[in-house]
Amino acid sequence: MFDEIGLPYPHLYIPLLDTFFQTMSRHFPSISRQRIEERLESGTIFLPSARDDPSKACAPYIAKAQELIIVLIHLPTTDVVTGLLLLAWASYGQNSESGLWQYSGMAIRMAMDLGLHEVTNVFEPYLSKAHVTRARLLFWSLFVTDRMLAFSTGQLPTIPEEIIEIPLPTDEDFVPDPARPGPGDPEELPQPTPFVHMVRLMVLCGRISTVLAGCRGEPRTLLPRNGEESLAKLKGLQEELVQFYAELLDAMKWSVDAFKHQEARGHGDSFLTLHLWANSVLAVSFHPELQERPDGNFSPITQKVERSAKLSLSSSRIIAECLVFADLFASHSYLTSPFAVQPIYVASLAFISDMKSSANTGSENKPMHTVDNLLSTLARQNLAVLTKAVQRMEHYWVGISSVSDILEQHAAGEPYLFA
């Protein structure tokens, strides 16, 4: 499978590159196929780009990448940062959550050591505009991964906001468009790109994670109590989140036509991820019960936060709707990212909570009882859609296999391990 220096033979890696750039590359806009092919030919880089093959098939490539990365981490470059980020995702596909944490953490620390978050007048004048753009898009890819991990696990984000100097990504950064195969069109004009809005969503997501993770009810040894201040901050973030989603550009608002258009451009995956995550963060922010810990307790913040079970349930229905149309028009669109499972998990909890609530407050009034039954049936149908999506994802991302078990525990009212 590998040559004398440890790289796969061209007849093996070229089909895998085809698979990667047809699917997963939408989540990594800094990656250029031409640059990867040049480095593979020169023997200077190896990236684990076999993730879309079942886990057993890609295991040898991931093992080889882990072997080669030991040497490469002593040579910090943007290529090595990219390899570490891809290896983090690939490790999760192999059921290694610790690998996801460790390799993504290494990628983030190396990126910060390289100053990818900084604007510098020392080196940038000597670099091409394309190189600077790629480096900045790489940093924002790390930023998105960091915020998704923080929100999913209830931890603080790793990348501090206050150190970031580079501007937020713009649509102009995607000209030429890295998601499109072949050379760029010199007459190409910028178009609304989902990744640009995804980064802005993750800014809010990170801030919400910071408030919730930093205020779990336990006093901080070196910090004063700031419960009321944190509550006010969380309420403000709720408002910003609602405003962000309501004011998305028309081209970025969820619709089947918009999804099909972005899929045709090569951005269907990131467009879907944008809406899955926006609705997931909305659902959790306005339904704190979805964040209940195994001990059944809430922090002082979540006890007082403004609630809207109706908004949470509406967001969960949108998540289910997105997945239904994704299966119809681009079934791979949610399979290419392991982080799609978090919105599915949140929406599933919302539907399970709604079904339990309907069962506990059933009306003896016949018309209302009929309505309750109808709503419960719709919730079960939506839950079935989400369960099917998780089962499909397990084929590619073994690390999410525990989600189905946890949801079954929730549905049965049994104790669960984590939320």
Side-chain angles (χ1 to χ4, degrees):
M1 297 180 67
F2 305 100
D3 61 22
E4 63 277 3
I5 62 173
L7 295 176
Y9 290 107
H11 73 279
L12 294 175
Y13 75 68
I14 290 176
L16 295 177
L17 282 180
D18 290 338
T19 299
F20 176 83
F21 281 97
Q22 290 166 5
T23 55
M24 291 187 64
S25 64
R26 291 89 178 267
H27 299 290
F28 306 97
S30 63
I31 296 179
S32 161
R33 175 157 189 163
Q34 180 180 348
R35 285 173 57 81
I36 286 185
E37 288 178 339
E38 289 172 355
R39 278 152 179 73
L40 282 166
E41 290 172 2
S42 64
T44 58
I45 190 171
F46 170 62
L47 299 177
S49 54
R51 179 52 250 153
D52 260 4
D53 275 27
S55 56
K56 291 183 180 179
C58 69
Y61 300 98
I62 296 174
K64 178 59 69 173
Q66 291 170 331
E67 177 184 326
L68 296 175
I69 207 69
I70 296 174
V71 176
L72 293 175
I73 57 175
H74 299 288
L75 305 168
T77 66
T78 54
D79 286 338
V80 177
V81 173
T82 301
L84 285 167
L85 177 58
L86 290 175
L87 189 52
W89 282 47
S91 296
Y92 193 52
Q94 294 288 295
N95 199 24
S96 176
E97 186 173 348
S98 62
L100 172 63
W101 272 101
Q102 294 298 329
Y103 287 119
S104 63
M106 291 167 65
I108 289 170
R109 287 188 291 273
M110 185 177 289
M112 293 168 66
D113 287 343
L114 290 170
L116 299 189
H117 58 291
E118 298 174 339
V119 175
T120 172
N121 296 320
V122 178
F123 300 109
E124 287 190 5
Y126 302 98
L127 301 173
S128 68
K129 180 182 177 181
H131 179 91
V132 173
T133 299
R134 282 194 302 269
R136 290 179 175 180
L137 287 176
L138 172 57
F139 173 80
W140 290 118
S141 294
L142 291 167
F143 181 88
V144 169
T145 298
D146 177 42
R147 266 47 186 179
M148 285 182 169
L149 273 172
F151 191 83
S152 299
T153 60
Q155 301 296 319
L156 290 169
T158 300
I159 302 174
E161 277 194 7
E162 57 269 21
I163 70 167
I164 301 174
E165 300 174 1
I166 62 173
L168 291 164
T170 65
D171 296 329
E172 286 73 17
D173 293 333
F174 290 80
V175 178
D177 192 335
R180 189 188 55 250
D185 182 356
E187 303 298 323
E188 182 178 358
L189 296 175
Q191 296 187 51
T193 305
F195 185 82
V196 171
H197 299 274
M198 188 68 194
V199 171
R200 286 158 174 77
L201 171 63
M202 286 299 109
V203 171
L204 292 173
C205 182
R207 291 171 181 173
I208 291 172
S209 298
T210 299
V211 173
L212 294 177
C215 302
R216 292 175 290 184
E218 297 299 327
R220 293 295 184 265
T221 303
L222 303 179
L223 295 175
R225 287 186 176 273
N226 60 348
E228 294 302 321
E229 179 183 339
S230 297
L231 179 60
K233 186 181 297 184
L234 184 58
K235 288 181 178 179
L237 289 169
Q238 286 179 322
E239 295 173 0
E240 288 186 54
L241 182 61
V242 172
Q243 183 178 6
F244 164 83
Y245 198 56
E247 295 181 356
L248 281 174
L249 297 174
D250 288 342
M252 288 292 106
K253 292 183 184 297
W254 171 256
S255 73
V256 175
D257 288 340
F259 176 55
K260 292 166 71 174
H261 173 70
Q262 292 296 337
E263 179 62 25
R265 290 185 59 219
H267 294 276
D269 300 30
S270 52
F271 180 78
L272 180 68
T273 302
L274 168 66
H275 287 278
L276 292 179
W277 268 86
N279 283 284
S280 174
V281 181
L282 280 167
V284 169
S285 298
F286 286 91
H287 193 174
E289 284 74 11
L290 301 182
Q291 289 187 314
E292 184 181 2
R293 307 308 300 175
D295 59 9
N297 296 323
F298 296 94
S299 75
I301 301 302
T302 54
Q303 286 175 351
K304 299 178 182 179
V305 72
E306 181 181 347
R307 286 166 163 75
S308 176
K310 183 178 180 181
L311 188 151
S312 177
L313 200 59
S314 176
S315 295
S316 299
R317 290 192 185 106
I318 294 176
I319 291 173
E321 176 187 321
C322 289
L323 293 172
V324 168
F325 286 108
D327 275 328
L328 287 174
F329 299 110
S331 59
H332 62 81
S333 54
Y334 62 87
L335 301 178
T336 58
S337 170
F339 297 108
V341 77
Q342 179 64 15
I344 296 173
Y345 175 69
V346 168
S348 298
L349 293 184
F351 289 126
I352 291 171
S353 174
D354 183 57
M355 288 188 293
K356 289 181 178 179
S357 176
S358 297
N360 293 334
T361 60
S363 174
E364 295 182 1
N365 182 284
K366 187 173 181 180
M368 289 303 300
H369 182 69
T370 302
V371 170
D372 289 339
N373 286 340
L374 175 60
L375 293 176
S376 182
T377 299
L378 292 175
R380 282 195 295 271
Q381 290 174 349
N382 285 321
L383 185 59
V385 169
L386 301 173
T387 301
K388 177 183 175 183
V390 171
Q391 291 170 347
R392 289 195 65 204
M393 291 184 69
E394 289 176 10
H395 181 65
Y396 299 98
W397 305 99
V398 185
I400 70 170
S401 58
S402 60
V403 172
S404 296
D405 295 335
I406 296 171
L407 290 175
E408 287 179 5
Q409 291 175 331
H410 272 284
E414 299 173 356
Y416 54 97
L417 298 178
F418 64 91

